[in-house]
Amino acid sequence: MKSRTKAVVIGGGIAGCSTLYHLTQEGWSDVVLVERNELTSGTTWHSAAQVTNFGTNQTMVGLKSHSINLYKKLAEHPEYPINYHHGDGGIRMANTEAQMQGYRHFASMARGMGVHFDVIDAKECARRHPLISTDNLIGGLWDPLDGDIDPAQLCQALAYHARRAGAEVYRNTPVTALTQHKDDTWTVHTEHGDIDCDFVVNACGYRVNEVGAMMGVHHPVASMEHQYFLTEDIPGIIEAGHRMPLIRCPISDYYCRQEKNGLLIGFYEQDCKTWGMDGIDPNFVNALCPDDLERVMDVLEGAFARMPALRETGIRSIVNGPITYTIDGAPLVGPIPGKRNAFCAIGLRAGLGEGGGHGWLLAQIIVHGEACYDTWCLDPRRFAGHTNAELTALKAIEDYQNEFRFHFPHEHRPAGRPAKTTPLTPVMAAEGAEFTVVNGWERVDYIKPAPDFHPLLSFNFDEAFDVIAAEVKNVQENVGLAEVNGFNRIEITGADRHSFLDRMFCGTVTKRAGRVGLGYLLNHNGMIKGEATVANLPASDRGPERVWYGSAATSEFHDMDWLTQHIGADEDVQLRSLTNDLTILVLTGPRARDVLSACARGDWSATAFPWLSVRECFVGFAPATVMGVSFSGELAYEIHVPNASLYAAYLALRKAGEEHGLKLFGARAVESMRMEKGFLHWKADLITEFDPFETGLDRFVKLDKGDFIGRDALLKRQSQGPCKKLVTLEIAASHAPAHGGASLMQGEMVVGTVTSGDWGHRVGMNLAYAFVEPQLADEGSTMQLDLCGELVTATVIATSPYDPGFDRIRG
């Protein structure tokens, strides 16, 4: 066994084998996989192994397309072929028009990735799958490339090709410990000796947290028992003369595919069961859980109704084994938070179908620092520290129960709520707040007009449209107050803090005390990595001279990792997270200055406290730090308050606002207003697939300021010209917004992809942001938006259609 290698992958299922294979494809031959038993002895061996192209975002579609293409190539390999039923086709069923509308959106989104889905009616579903009944069925989504693969053969093939490229695989080699050294390298301790390496990958399936514990981390992954059975031969399948398409049914919570001349039928029962919460038997290898068909009888009845032939068919065998879920159902593929040179590919509930793509993207991240797609939807750092085992289990149960039910816009499911709150959460609830969730935080979405107000889930504008309009109107005419909790705040101190930040940002970073600036961070490829405000606080009785770095709530772990790993060994820079200590109260509108002046001492005039200023003060008697910044496009103040004083500050502002028409508003109103101003959202409009010039952030780039991360790569990209350009669009529709991922067309050609969309209530426009072909980025250019299957005109307009001169923000 080697004693030194470039990377060690721990786990011999689909995640580990795919990662090993793709590391060799990226040019690393000195890599090793260690497996405690035999390859595929965990979850992989009993996988139903369905290979679909369906995904709810473009990254997922892209990695699944890679999986399909890879599996097809492996299946056709002359020396080591494998069994892959490619292109049987598959139907995702629907019994509501809202589900069908969602399928039309996903078809639009997939088109931008070169993937074609058909939305078909119930009659066509039955024509393509002659065993199904059309009772209580409207139609479905047809995936022509759907199929299934032999899981053991697939993993063995990946290992075979990785070995041929120089990799080594050590079976029956349990890992006993992991040690990280001061230079960030690792030692993987096994029962057969130690392996020193630069990088380590946790791909351990349901044993993920056994290995996680060796690193001192907990991963938000839980296992669920999952049952399927294999039927005896079915005459209708034999008579059909072709392989049956796969079925995924959110109506009755089951799936099925052809297995020989019968069916494999799996169930997602409501009375489901977690597995391994109190530890896993070390001897649980190539093993199953006891059969428990009684638990799935309710789902089985639905399957009988949909496929009457099952009533006359015997069961040949039953499989009940553990599968892994994460806290939001999507895999965790990427860097492990808080660790250097440590990665994971875990929580792959649909691992066989997607695993080729997961290993592909992870190998790119390990070797090159980033993948070809923005992988935030997979990134393990998208969650913060609230994701304990108990909360993860609750969300895993909920996701299991809704396996084939996609999330609608503005749908926030109830399990594990509330995970993070502030002293104002019950106060806002008493005011009638409807809450959204941001990195676990309960944040006000809007204020309900009545306790029983519950908009229907839809891809159209919902019944909250007028409620949001009223909140925006009051902000525009009077003054509004909102709580923004969970906002990422890092305090940076030390003599080298300014030079450090200057190296991190691609533009000029203000160093003046009492001033605030906005800037962008790039990765080493010159692409957008992050967005942050930088506020310079002078020394006071609250602390020394310091910088407050502020960014999106979801970036908490991501940004801390990025900043920490770039502090030089000789730099005097210290970072301290304040994210869970402070909460922001946003006061905005033309009367905001009057309200603040009434409850906080000092001169708040535009002369004494202009836009982009920061000042420490007291709101009432609550200590606060006020910044003159705005995400709404109106005069606004961000009031940062310690959580212990938050309620006191809130009461002071509410009291001062009584005579100025102050009302509460929420995140939905903010979304509408930021669209009107051309303000961008991190990981919606700001992604690693585009550079700042393509994203329209030229004014934030200073190529002549000296060296900064990504500068050389950005210079090279600039000389090559843009691949796409971010534009603002007016959509010629009033019934529905453009949804992220939707395709923009000219004829049959996809020419762009939507990143964000919403109604601009102050300008009366249906607005969207999109990356489009550069030749279409000029104002007045038109194209067609595929809006849930309907083609509507989209016209490029000027950025910031509301108050383009920023006069209202300056007050």
Side-chain angles (χ1 to χ4, degrees):
M1 192 169 74
K2 281 187 174 183
S3 60
R4 185 71 175 82
T5 190
K6 185 73 174 174
V8 173
V9 179
I10 307 172
I14 180 59
C17 291
S18 177
T19 301
L20 185 76
Y21 168 82
H22 283 98
L23 284 172
T24 66
Q25 295 297 298
E26 294 298 327
W28 285 11
S29 59
D30 183 16
V31 288
V32 162
L33 182 148
V34 293
E35 160 57 42
R36 70 191 301 273
N37 195 262
E38 296 289 343
L39 298 185
T40 77
S41 60
T43 292
T44 300
W45 74 273
H46 62 75
S47 169
Q50 299 167 111
V51 185
T52 177
N53 225 0
F54 177 79
T56 55
N57 59 59
Q58 289 193 322
T59 296
M60 293 302 295
V61 172
L63 70 86
K64 291 183 179 189
S65 291
H66 176 83
S67 297
I68 289 171
N69 293 331
L70 170 64
Y71 298 170
K72 197 167 184 295
K73 183 177 76 171
L74 294 174
E76 296 168 352
H77 193 276
E79 298 176 23
Y80 205 99
I82 61 175
N83 293 324
Y84 176 28
H85 297 122
H86 169 71
D88 289 347
I91 304 171
R92 291 178 183 268
M93 295 181 167
N95 66 340
T96 69
E97 182 51 43
Q99 289 172 313
M100 293 293 286
Q101 188 183 33
Y103 289 156
R104 294 185 188 100
H105 165 66
F106 295 131
S108 171
M109 179 268 298
R111 183 182 290 177
M113 299 300 289
V115 171
H116 180 76
F117 295 143
D118 288 323
V119 180
I120 58 178
D121 61 20
K123 184 178 179 181
E124 183 62 17
C125 289
R127 189 189 71 79
R128 299 187 186 195
H129 199 304
L131 297 184
I132 67 170
S133 162
T134 59
D135 291 347
N136 190 31
L137 181 67
I138 293 179
L141 182 72
W142 172 259
D143 174 2
L145 299 184
D146 218 335
D148 67 270
I149 197 165
D150 185 298
Q153 289 183 4
L154 170 60
C155 290
Q156 294 289 352
L158 290 167
Y160 167 80
H161 291 288
R163 287 190 189 100
R164 292 189 65 181
E168 297 189 15
V169 176
Y170 305 138
R171 298 169 298 139
N172 299 303
T173 306
V175 173
T176 57
L178 294 168
T179 301
Q180 188 163 32
H181 307 289
K182 289 183 179 180
D183 62 355
D184 297 328
T185 63
W186 291 84
T187 297
V188 179
H189 307 276
T190 81
E191 288 187 359
H192 302 312
D194 296 346
I195 310 175
D196 295 325
C197 60
D198 297 321
F199 300 91
V200 66
V201 178
N202 184 345
C204 292
Y206 53 66
R207 295 190 185 274
V208 52
N209 277 310
E210 294 178 12
V211 173
M214 297 177 190
M215 293 186 185
V217 299
H218 170 79
H219 298 285
V221 176
S223 295
M224 303 292 298
E225 286 190 18
H226 176 60
Q227 295 185 92
Y228 65 78
F229 63 65
L230 303 172
T231 74
E232 295 176 348
D233 290 355
I234 298 175
I237 292 178
I238 299 171
E239 295 163 4
H242 62 81
R243 286 186 59 82
M244 289 291 110
L246 289 80
I247 292 290
R248 295 172 183 85
C249 183
I251 308 165
S252 302
D253 297 312
Y254 82 98
Y255 63 88
C256 73
R257 66 168 175 82
Q258 185 169 336
E259 179 68 16
K260 298 183 179 178
N261 286 323
L263 291 174
L264 181 154
I265 304 178
F267 307 97
Y268 290 96
E269 69 280 6
Q270 297 302 296
D271 184 25
C272 53
K273 185 178 180 182
T274 58
W275 180 85
M277 289 288 290
D278 297 318
I280 302 170
D281 186 339
N283 298 314
F284 191 88
V285 176
N286 278 316
L288 294 172
C289 309
D291 298 344
D292 190 5
L293 279 187
E294 190 65 32
R295 202 171 70 232
V296 302
M297 289 308 296
D298 58 333
V299 184
L300 189 56
E301 286 297 322
F304 283 163
R306 181 63 60 206
M307 305 178 75
L310 292 177
R311 298 183 185 275
E312 311 299 326
T313 304
I315 296 175
R316 182 157 51 86
S317 61
I318 300 171
V319 172
N320 184 20
I323 58 175
T324 56
Y325 280 76
T326 67
I327 196 166
D328 70 348
L332 301 176
V333 179
I336 295 175
K339 297 294 177 181
R340 303 272 189 95
N341 295 355
F343 300 84
C344 61
I346 53 179
L348 277 58
R349 77 177 192 225
L352 264 295
E354 305 171 352
H358 292 143
W360 174 55
L361 294 178
L362 181 58
Q364 293 177 54
I365 293 169
I366 295 171
V367 175
H368 307 296
E370 300 282 356
C372 57
Y373 305 139
D374 189 296
T375 58
W376 184 244
C377 63
L378 306 172
D379 198 302
R381 298 166 299 182
R382 67 187 187 269
F383 310 110
H386 64 289
T387 55
N388 56 50
E390 286 74 11
L391 179 61
T392 301
L394 290 174
K395 296 302 290 184
I397 290 168
E398 181 181 63
D399 208 59
Y400 184 96
Q401 293 170 331
N402 291 278
E403 175 67 29
F404 299 129
R405 299 183 187 94
F406 54 78
H407 278 79
F408 281 90
H410 310 300
E411 179 184 6
H412 306 292
R413 293 174 179 170
R417 307 271 302 274
K420 295 183 190 177
T421 62
T422 74
L424 290 187
T425 305
V427 177
M428 295 296 186
E431 293 276 6
E434 178 71 21
F435 291 95
T436 183
V437 181
V438 181
N439 195 17
W441 291 96
E442 296 287 329
R443 186 178 292 180
V444 176
D445 214 17
Y446 56 88
I447 304 300
K448 296 185 289 187
D452 60 351
F453 181 75
H454 300 294
L456 297 175
L457 296 176
S458 172
F459 280 78
N460 291 337
F461 290 117
D462 62 23
E463 294 86 343
F465 185 90
D466 291 338
V467 176
I468 309 306
E471 291 182 3
V472 171
K473 181 178 175 64
N474 190 67
V475 166
Q476 182 184 24
E477 296 180 352
N478 300 305
V479 60
L481 181 66
E483 179 191 38
V484 181
N485 47 21
F487 188 76
N488 185 40
R489 172 70 63 215
I490 300 173
E491 185 176 84
I492 306 177
T493 54
D496 297 321
R497 64 190 183 280
H498 290 305
S499 59
F500 166 70
L501 288 172
D502 201 47
R503 193 175 73 254
M504 299 302 295
F505 284 83
C506 64
T508 302
V509 182
T510 180
K511 301 177 179 63
R512 288 173 53 195
R515 296 297 291 167
V516 180
L518 175 68
Y520 293 86
L521 302 89
L522 309 184
N523 61 28
H524 294 281
N525 301 323
M527 313 299 245
I528 295 289
K529 184 71 174 178
E531 175 192 60
T533 56
V534 172
N536 296 295
L537 297 175
S540 70
D541 57 355
R542 300 183 192 176
E545 289 184 349
R546 58 208 183 278
V547 171
W548 276 9
Y549 170 106
S551 56
T554 51
S555 72
E556 181 181 352
F557 281 5
H558 173 279
D559 283 16
M560 181 62 84
D561 275 0
W562 185 251
L563 295 175
T564 300
Q565 69 190 38
H566 285 96
I567 298 175
D570 58 348
E571 282 188 304
D572 178 17
V573 175
Q574 296 83 43
L575 308 179
R576 181 168 71 102
S577 177
L578 302 178
T579 300
N580 297 299
D581 301 331
L582 300 166
T583 294
I584 300 172
L585 296 174
V586 172
L587 185 70
T588 182
R591 300 185 183 181
R593 180 178 289 115
D594 298 327
V595 176
L596 186 59
S597 298
C599 61
R601 288 185 293 116
D603 183 354
W604 297 99
S605 67
T607 302
F609 192 77
W611 182 41
L612 298 179
S613 297
V614 59
R615 177 192 296 175
E616 293 176 332
C617 67
F618 291 88
V619 173
F621 55 78
T625 302
V626 178
M627 298 183 194
V629 295
S630 175
F631 204 50
S632 65
E634 306 289 347
L635 174 66
Y637 303 100
E638 279 188 3
I639 305 170
H640 299 247
V641 185
N643 285 331
S645 305
L646 186 62
Y647 185 44
Y650 170 80
L651 291 176
L653 289 164
R654 289 301 300 266
K655 180 67 176 176
E658 287 178 356
E659 63 180 284
H660 298 290
L662 184 146
K663 294 181 181 179
L664 299 175
F665 68 99
R668 294 272 293 271
V670 173
E671 181 69 7
S672 168
M673 291 186 285
R674 71 100 181 174
M675 293 290 302
E676 297 172 304
K677 285 302 300 170
F679 296 153
L680 308 180
H681 257 172
W682 187 67
K683 293 307 178 188
D685 319 301
L686 300 166
I687 58 177
T688 59
E689 294 174 32
F690 300 102
D691 66 38
F693 298 124
E694 293 170 317
T695 313
L697 300 173
D698 308 48
R699 67 191 185 281
F700 292 98
V701 180
K702 300 296 181 185
L703 290 170
D704 59 353
K705 75 167 192 170
D707 193 31
F708 58 84
I709 292 173
R711 180 177 181 272
D712 291 344
L714 185 60
L715 282 168
K716 183 177 180 181
R717 288 186 60 83
Q718 187 185 32
S719 67
Q720 297 169 347
C723 296
K724 294 284 179 68
K725 293 286 287 185
L726 186 70
V727 298
T728 303
L729 299 169
E730 181 179 4
I731 308 301
S734 58
H735 67 286
H739 297 282
S743 290
L744 292 156
M745 312 291 298
Q746 280 199 335
E748 295 298 315
M749 183 179 298
V750 177
V751 295
T753 300
V754 170
T755 59
S756 298
D758 207 343
W759 187 269
H761 290 282
R762 293 173 297 189
V763 297
M765 294 180 183
N766 194 353
L767 299 171
Y769 299 152
F771 281 100
V772 302
E773 298 293 335
Q775 67 272 19
L776 295 173
D778 295 334
E779 287 182 47
S781 294
T782 62
M783 56 210 84
Q784 299 296 109
L785 168 67
D786 183 348
L787 182 59
C788 298
E790 177 186 358
L791 292 179
V792 299
T793 300
T795 305
V796 178
I797 63 172
T799 301
S800 189
Y802 181 73
D803 185 31
F806 281 54
D807 297 325
R808 295 181 70 88
I809 285 180
R810 292 184 175 89

